[in-house]
Amino acid sequence: MSTPVVSFSELSKNSKRVAETVERAQRVHVTRRDGEDLYLTTEHHDRQREETADVTTRLFTALISSDEGARAVLLALPQVFPWVRHLSAAEVREFVVDLVNAIRDAAELNVHASLHRVIVEWRATARILADPELTAQLTAPLPGEDFGEVPEP
């Protein structure tokens, strides 16, 4: 089912009709010329989406809490994120830990930016590792004096 699209001006001029569309479709994409697009949704639909995220998070967390489940997740990971094949086994495990923590934040704290950041950063790491020349450039010693390890912020 595709999401209906309305303009922001249509929303302001015909709010009753747009509200009826939201109730029927449960979600409407509102385009804007002067800002980021919006989505209008019903409260019921939003609660269902939150429940879906919560159940998925709890299921994923339960899976990785056992050795057998963790192996299943690791085997399924390349189907979801094909670029993980460029990561070492230790990096894949670290990615899974970061992913689970970010999924928990999304479900428990309603903070979704960290999940997006984890995926983007690990995909960038895999992209670097997939290119031997780029990997060599980025892992080569820096010219000049070495000031040691940089502490985490």
Side-chain angles (χ1 to χ4, degrees):
M1 174 192 218
S2 65
T3 303
V5 179
V6 299
S7 67
F8 190 77
S9 59
E10 185 178 351
L11 171 62
S12 63
K13 291 176 186 173
N14 301 305
S15 59
K16 184 176 180 177
R17 188 167 55 75
V18 172
E20 290 168 353
T21 303
V22 172
E23 288 177 358
R24 186 176 59 258
Q26 297 186 45
R27 188 171 192 231
V28 171
H29 180 181
V30 180
T31 59
R32 295 173 33 186
R33 288 186 297 238
D34 60 348
E36 188 174 0
D37 288 358
L38 307 172
Y39 281 92
L40 292 178
T41 187
T42 62
E43 180 183 6
H44 177 74
H45 183 68
D46 191 56
R47 277 195 316 267
Q48 287 178 330
R49 289 172 64 95
E50 286 180 6
E51 183 179 10
T52 299
D54 181 57
V55 168
T56 303
T57 298
R58 288 187 287 128
L59 180 62
F60 194 72
T61 302
L63 266 174
I64 65 160
S65 68
S66 72
D67 289 342
E68 188 176 295
R71 276 193 295 280
V73 168
L74 289 172
L75 289 172
L77 215 55
Q79 292 177 13
V80 180
F81 303 107
W83 43 262
V84 299
R85 71 184 183 279
H86 298 289
L87 302 176
S88 69
E91 289 166 331
V92 170
R93 285 190 297 277
E94 188 178 345
F95 169 57
V96 169
V97 169
D98 290 350
L99 186 65
V100 169
N101 288 334
I103 289 170
R104 283 181 181 147
D105 287 348
E108 295 171 10
L109 303 173
N110 200 26
V111 175
H112 300 272
S114 61
L115 178 58
H116 175 73
R117 180 185 47 77
V118 164
I119 294 168
V120 167
E121 288 175 355
W122 277 106
R123 184 185 307 125
T125 299
R127 186 175 293 129
I128 291 166
L129 295 171
D131 183 343
E133 289 180 28
L134 186 54
T135 300
Q137 285 177 347
L138 294 174
T139 57
L142 295 174
E145 188 176 344
D146 183 358
F147 296 102
E149 189 173 323
V150 177
E152 284 191 45

